[in-house]
Amino acid sequence: MSSLWKPFSVSEGPCSSLEPRRGCSDPARFRTQNPNKRLGAEFTGVVSRCCLPGGSRLGPPRRVISAAAIGGKKITHPGKAILAGGIAGGIEICITFPTEYVKTQLQLDERANPPRYRGIGDCVRLTVQDHGLRGLYRGLSSLLYGSIPKSAVRFGTFEVLSNPLRDANGRLDNTRSLMCGLGAGVAEAILVVCPMETLKVKLIHDQCSLQPRYRGFFHGVREIIRDQGVRGTYQGLTATVLKQGSNQAIRFYVMTSLRNWYKGDDPRREMHPVVTAAFGALAGAASVFGNTPLDVVKTRMQGLEAHRYRNTVDCAFQILRNEGPQAFYKGTVPRLGRVCLDVAIVFVIYEEVVKMLNDVWKTD
């Protein structure tokens, strides 16, 4: 926490009890009226050569300190943000993965095949019928291994970028939160999300094959890297950067806007977890409607049929030409349910873990 110090002022002339001059103070009166002033608040330093009526001197110049209340910056240490983000990401994905599975299956289900699933319920029914309830968690390991570092990178990057931009009370304005969210999304896309999502999509897509190749996460990773090299885990990087960048820009912008509105003129007002969850759900919904088309393109670019597309633009053009504009919103409903729950859970857990860490991990 940083402290703000007002400049010291110097007074050279005699002080009058009727007209006290700036920079003068009566030590006896200060001790009488301010016996319990504590350090840790804002200080006004005063240097004076005379402090008694009539101008009698007290000797060499000396400093008299008076205290006033102040609020310092309320920021989150990047280390705490990384740890809290990782914990929040791991818990969240274990809760919401079945909705992610259904969303991915519907996005991979092309009309030209013809489509295998008639809707969300039909996808769930056929998956459970063919693979049992565990089928709804196929590919979880790839997301679980990735969700912890993904959320850690997201919140850690956001705090690193936003801390220098906060005002004296720790408040971040809406526009700056948009840019910091964009930076956090791009960082997590490159470092974690693209390889994680590619592996997840390939594992889920492989399950739809008549003769699945991959026996599990590590076997799938080994086979993909052996066949396609490390580049095989970075398919759809452009679409992933666009999707994650816009995702986090929208979410942090909406979340910060709602938080600033709720707190008003009192930046230290505490937010109840229920309020945080509601704001997080709204932020998640905004990101779904804002960038689902990019999510559909990203999913296609990372599937087992990605070789059909020359690049991200060609993929988008083929979807539009072969399936129509409505195809860009395939999987919106399951994604909406998952993302709203996802963002709400992550923000609540993140805030609560940070509070806990503040009690046991003291930082300046």
Side-chain angles (χ1 to χ4, degrees), residues 7-13 21-24 45-49 61:
F8 292 103
S9 58
V10 179
S11 175
E12 294 289 347
R21 294 176 52 136
R22 178 183 175 89
C24 296
V46 179
V47 179
S48 177
R49 291 185 181 276

Side-chain angles (χ1 to χ4, degrees), residues 113-147:
N113 278 351
R116 182 183 181 191
Y117 306 117
R118 295 191 297 272
I120 298 172
D122 189 51
C123 178
V124 173
R125 182 181 62 81
L126 289 177
T127 300
V128 173
Q129 176 181 302
D130 295 342
H131 305 284
L133 288 174
R134 293 182 60 184
L136 293 173
Y137 281 87
R138 181 69 183 269
L140 170 63
S141 54
S142 63
L143 272 193
L144 184 60
Y145 299 145
S147 287

Side-chain angles (χ1 to χ4, degrees), residues 134 138-139 141 202-204 206-207 211-224 226:
R134 293 182 60 184
R138 181 69 183 269
S141 54
K202 289 182 183 297
L203 288 172
I204 292 177
D206 178 67
Q207 182 173 305
Q211 295 180 335
R213 292 183 54 197
Y214 309 136
R215 296 191 296 270
F217 174 76
F218 292 106
H219 178 258
V221 172
R222 185 170 65 250
E223 292 297 309
I224 290 169
R226 188 179 68 178

Side-chain angles (χ1 to χ4, degrees), residues 112-316:
N113 278 351
R116 182 183 181 191
Y117 306 117
R118 295 191 297 272
I120 298 172
D122 189 51
C123 178
V124 173
R125 182 181 62 81
L126 289 177
T127 300
V128 173
Q129 176 181 302
D130 295 342
H131 305 284
L133 288 174
R134 293 182 60 184
L136 293 173
Y137 281 87
R138 181 69 183 269
L140 170 63
S141 54
S142 63
L143 272 193
L144 184 60
Y145 299 145
S147 287
I148 295 174
K150 176 181 75 172
S151 292
V153 169
R154 176 192 308 167
F155 284 100
T157 303
F158 183 81
E159 294 299 340
V160 167
L161 295 176
S162 66
N163 283 347
L165 302 178
R166 297 179 184 273
D167 63 18
N169 292 318
R171 185 186 181 97
L172 183 69
D173 68 41
N174 301 343
T175 302
R176 289 177 177 178
S177 72
L178 178 72
M179 300 308 298
C180 293
L182 178 62
V186 171
E188 72 174 6
I190 296 173
L191 296 176
V192 182
V193 175
C194 189
M196 177 191 73
E197 288 283 315
T198 301
L199 293 172
K200 178 207 72 175
V201 171
K202 289 182 183 297
L203 288 172
I204 292 177
H205 205 174
D206 178 67
Q207 182 173 305
C208 302
S209 305
L210 295 177
Q211 295 180 335
R213 292 183 54 197
Y214 309 136
R215 296 191 296 270
F217 174 76
F218 292 106
H219 178 258
V221 172
R222 185 170 65 250
E223 292 297 309
I224 290 169
I225 292 179
R226 188 179 68 178
D227 294 344
Q228 305 172 33
V230 176
R231 290 185 60 185
T233 64
Y234 269 88
Q235 289 179 324
L237 176 61
T238 301
T240 303
V241 168
L242 292 173
K243 180 229 175 182
Q244 288 302 121
S246 59
N247 241 353
Q248 303 313 323
I250 293 171
R251 290 176 189 177
F252 278 107
Y253 173 80
V254 173
M255 191 68 187
T256 301
S257 300
L258 292 171
R259 183 184 287 118
N260 288 342
W261 166 78
Y262 180 80
K263 293 189 175 184
D265 296 329
D266 182 10
R268 293 184 177 275
R269 181 182 181 185
E270 292 293 331
M271 287 177 55
H272 192 278
V274 173
V275 176
T276 302
F279 288 173
L282 290 174
S287 68
V288 169
F289 290 113
N291 77 349
T292 288
L294 289 172
D295 189 44
V296 172
V297 173
K298 175 198 71 68
T299 300
R300 294 288 179 87
M301 289 292 293
Q302 293 172 334
L304 297 177
E305 302 297 324
H307 61 273
R308 295 170 46 192
Y309 311 116
R310 294 192 299 274
N311 49 48
T312 301
V313 175
D314 180 61
C315 177

